[in-house]
Amino acid sequence: MEGVTLEIKENRFIKDFISEQDQMFIEMVRGFVDEVIMPIRREIEQSGRSDFKLIEDLQRKLIPLGFLSGFLPEEHGGMGIDSALTISILAEEFARGDASFFCSVAGGWWGMRPAIFAENKAVLDEFAPRFLGEDLYVACFAMTEPSGGCNIENMDMHGLGIKTRARLDGDEWVINGSKVWPTNSGIADLYLVVCNTDPDLGDDGIAMIYVPAPIDGFSFGRFEDKAGFRASREGDFYFDNVRVPREYRVAGPGRDAELLHDNIVFARIFSSAWAVGIAQGAFDEVLAFTRDKLAAGKPIRQHTIAAGMLADMAIGIQVGRDAYVNAAYLYDHPEIYGPRHSKQMLSRASIAKVFCCDMAVAATNRAMELMGSYGYVTDYHVEKYWRDVKIIQLWEGGAQLGRLDVARGIYDYDQFHRNEIYEKLHLKK
Ligand SMILES: Cc1cc2nc3c(=O)[nH]c(=O)nc-3n(C[C@H](O)[C@H](O)[C@H](O)COP(=O)(O)OP(=O)(O)OC[C@H]3O[C@@H](n4cnc5c(N)ncnc54)[C@H](O)[C@@H]3O)c2cc1C
C-alpha cells in the first residue's frame, strides 16, 4: 500500500481528549480490523448470508481482548470504558472493516448503558458477570415498533408512540406487545425493552425493562433480508404476558425517559462515527484504485477532475470526524455542557449524524463513480460500503427526524405547534 496516502493516520484525532488506557484499546481494535477483518470482508458478508459461523468465531476472538465486557464498570469486572468519544472512535475503526460486525457486538454496550448510568445494582449484579464468561453473551436494545421507530424517538410524543405495555403485578412487571428491527433479535441473551406503563402519564409512563431470554411468553419472528449490514441480525419479537422482577426496570418514572433520550443521543453520536468509518473505508479503496488504474495515459487520481472529487471526499470525512468528536466530547462532560438527554445535546448529536450520513452516502457513491464498473463488483468492497452506509442514514430518526431534532435545540420548535388559524380550520371540519 506504499504511496497510496501521505496522511498520518495517528493524527486523525486529537489524542489529548482520550485516556492512555482508551488509546491502547483503540490501537488494539485498529490492529484487529487491519489484520483480521480487512482481508476477509467478503467472507464475513457471505457468512452473514449463510450460517454466521465465521462471524461468531470472530466475535469470540474479541472475548479475551475484553471487548465484549469492556463497557462494564471496573467493580463489575469490566474496564470502565464509558466515554462516548472512545466508543465512537472504536465504531469508526470497526466500520472501516465491517460496520455490521461491530453493530452486533455493540448491542451489549448500548443495552447496558442505562443500567450503568442508573446504577441499578440488581441488574448489574445479576447480568454483568454473564458478559465476563468464556462464550458470547450479547444484549439487544429494543425500541422500534411496527407503528414506527421515529414515533418512539420523537421527544414531542412523550411516550405516546410506545405501544408495548408494562403492568406491575405484585413484584413483577407483566409485558405485552411487539418490537421490530432490533439488532441481535432472536440471538441476544438479554433485551432492554422500551415500554409504556400508562400513555396518560407522558414521560413518566416510559419504562425500560430488562428481559432475559429465553423466558415464557417471549417469541421471535424471522430475520430480515437486508441490502447490506449482513454481519448483524435484525428481526421481530413478541411479548405475551412476559413476567420479570420489578427491579429489572432501569430506574423509575421520569428517569427512564431521560435515560432513553440519553441512549438515543449516544447512538446518534456513534452512528456518525460509523458513517465516517464507512466513508473512510471506501476512500482508502478508491485512493489505491485510482493510483494504479490509468485513464488517458495517467493514473486516474492525477486527473484534475478526480483530484477535486477525492479532495471533496477527504474534506467531508475529516469535517464529519471533527463533528462527532466534538459532539462526543460535549456528551462526555455533562458537568460543563448540561444534561446528556437535553434538547441541546440531542441537537448537537443530530447535527453530527445528519451531516456524517449525508456525507458518507455521497462519498461511497462518488468512490464508485471514480472506479467505473470495478466499483460495482465485490472485489473492491466499495459496493459493500455503499450498501452498508444507507441504513445508518435511515435509522436513529432518519434524515428527517434528525433535522427536526437539530431545530429543537436551536429554537422552540414543536412538532404539534398549533395556532389560531389551525384551530379554526380544525374545528370547522
Ligand atoms: C440494520 C438495522 C439495525 C437496527 N437496529 C435497531 C436496534 O438495535 N434497536 C431498535 O430499536 N431499532 C433498530 N432498528 C430500527 C431503526 O432504528 C428504525 O427503522 C428507524 O428508527 C426508523 O423507524 P421506521 O423504520 O419505523 O421508520 P418511521 O419511523 O416510520 O419513519 C419513516 C419516515 O418518516 C420520517 N418521519 C418519522 N417521524 C417523523 C416526523 N415526526 N416528522 C417528519 N418526518 C418523520 C422518518 O424520518 C422517515 O423518513 C434497526 C434497523 C435496521 C435496518
Side-chain angles (χ1 to χ4, degrees):
M1 292 295 270
E2 204 177 316
V4 173
T5 182
L6 300 176
E7 193 194 1
I8 301 165
K9 287 187 187 165
E10 289 67 32
N11 293 352
R12 284 177 183 166
F13 311 101
I14 302 171
K15 287 190 199 136
D16 305 10
F17 290 165
I18 305 161
S19 75
E20 260 179 46
Q21 181 197 278
D22 287 9
Q23 185 65 38
M24 276 167 50
F25 203 57
I26 290 164
E27 275 161 26
M28 183 185 76
V29 167
R30 189 172 291 152
F32 181 84
V33 170
D34 285 338
E35 286 152 35
V36 182
I37 304 259
M38 292 304 242
I40 53 166
R41 281 171 285 179
R42 275 182 71 189
E43 288 78 359
I44 291 174
E45 280 224 291
Q46 281 159 357
S47 171
R49 299 291 267 182
S50 60
D51 60 4
F52 269 82
K53 194 174 169 320
L54 172 66
I55 294 165
E56 285 170 356
D57 287 348
L58 286 174
Q59 288 173 349
R60 280 192 189 91
K61 286 191 181 183
L62 293 172
I63 297 173
L65 305 178
F67 193 82
L68 295 182
S69 56
F71 62 88
L72 291 169
E74 283 170 21
E75 63 271 26
H76 287 282
M79 294 159 78
I81 298 175
D82 60 357
S83 149
L85 179 54
T86 299
I87 297 166
S88 299
I89 295 172
L90 293 177
E92 181 187 334
E93 287 300 327
F94 268 112
R96 266 193 315 115
D98 191 305
S100 55
F101 177 75
F102 179 66
C103 186
S104 185
V105 287
W109 299 58
W110 198 24
M112 289 303 282
R113 282 175 77 81
I116 293 168
F117 282 143
E119 297 178 21
N120 183 321
K121 194 170 162 3
V123 167
L124 290 171
D125 284 350
E126 179 69 32
F127 298 110
R130 305 187 194 191
F131 286 93
L132 303 167
E134 289 186 359
D135 207 354
L136 292 173
Y137 186 84
V138 286
C140 166
F141 183 61
M143 175 174 61
T144 309
E145 297 190 0
S147 58
C150 296
N151 286 342
I152 296 176
E153 294 190 36
N154 190 338
M155 277 187 173
D156 284 345
M157 295 284 285
H158 298 287
L160 266 182
I162 306 168
K163 306 293 178 206
T164 300
R165 291 281 172 273
R167 173 176 58 83
L168 204 51
D169 181 24
D171 273 346
E172 288 181 328
W173 288 106
V174 183
I175 303 174
N176 282 287
S178 63
K179 295 284 174 186
V180 291
W181 285 113
T183 297
N184 293 338
S185 304
I187 56 163
D189 305 282
L190 183 63
Y191 294 76
L192 178 54
V193 186
V194 178
C195 308
N196 200 325
T197 58
D198 178 353
D200 290 337
L201 293 178
D203 282 346
D204 283 352
I206 296 175
M208 292 198 287
I209 302 173
Y210 286 93
V211 176
I215 193 168
D216 280 351
F218 193 11
S219 60
F220 299 92
R222 65 179 177 93
F223 294 131
E224 300 291 348
D225 188 10
K226 300 161 293 174
F229 249 67
R230 301 219 169 119
S232 71
R233 277 167 281 189
E234 287 76 24
D236 39 359
F237 45 83
Y238 311 91
F239 300 96
D240 182 11
N241 287 317
V242 171
R243 289 178 167 268
V244 294
R246 75 184 288 165
E247 59 269 25
Y248 285 5
R249 179 176 184 169
V250 166
R255 185 69 182 130
D256 276 23
E258 288 178 357
L259 288 166
L260 169 64
H261 295 138
D262 179 326
N263 234 18
I264 291 167
V265 169
F266 170 72
R268 291 209 183 156
I269 296 170
F270 82 71
S271 290
S272 318
W274 242 325
V276 168
I278 293 178
Q280 183 71 56
F283 186 68
D284 293 344
E285 291 290 336
V286 73
L287 212 52
F289 184 90
T290 54
R291 176 198 60 174
D292 299 336
K293 182 101 194 300
L294 305 185
K298 65 178 180 181
I300 293 173
R301 71 185 199 177
Q302 297 302 341
H303 288 273
T304 310
I305 194 164
M309 287 166 72
L310 291 166
D312 281 344
M313 279 181 230
I315 291 166
I317 290 167
Q318 192 55 48
V319 173
R321 184 176 288 129
D322 292 345
Y324 89 68
V325 166
N326 198 318
Y329 187 84
L330 301 188
Y331 176 94
D332 283 338
H333 293 87
E335 70 287 1
I336 306 172
Y337 301 106
R340 294 171 162 141
H341 58 267
S342 69
K343 287 186 175 181
Q344 290 79 7
M345 200 56 236
L346 176 67
S347 177
R348 290 302 289 262
S350 304
I351 286 173
K353 179 172 183 280
V354 169
F355 178 84
C356 291
C357 291
D358 287 359
M359 174 281 293
V361 167
T364 52
N365 206 28
R366 286 291 184 181
M368 197 179 271
E369 285 173 26
L370 280 174
M371 294 172 72
S373 296
Y374 292 95
Y376 201 60
V377 292
T378 53
D379 302 21
Y380 293 92
H381 310 288
V382 165
E383 59 83 35
K384 170 194 149 50
Y385 292 119
W386 179 71
R387 282 185 285 107
D388 279 354
V389 77
K390 189 66 189 176
I391 180 55
I392 300 180
Q393 189 185 45
L394 302 178
W395 74 27
E396 279 296 324
Q400 287 69 39
L401 186 63
R403 283 176 164 81
L404 301 185
D405 288 338
V406 170
R408 243 181 265 282
I410 295 170
Y411 64 96
D412 59 347
Y413 169 74
D414 173 2
Q415 177 107 56
F416 302 107
H417 182 75
R418 300 280 184 269
N419 60 31
E420 214 177 312
I421 296 170
Y422 177 93
E423 297 298 344
K424 274 186 187 153
L425 287 171
H426 191 68
L427 287 175
K428 264 189 193 168
K429 274 188 189 166

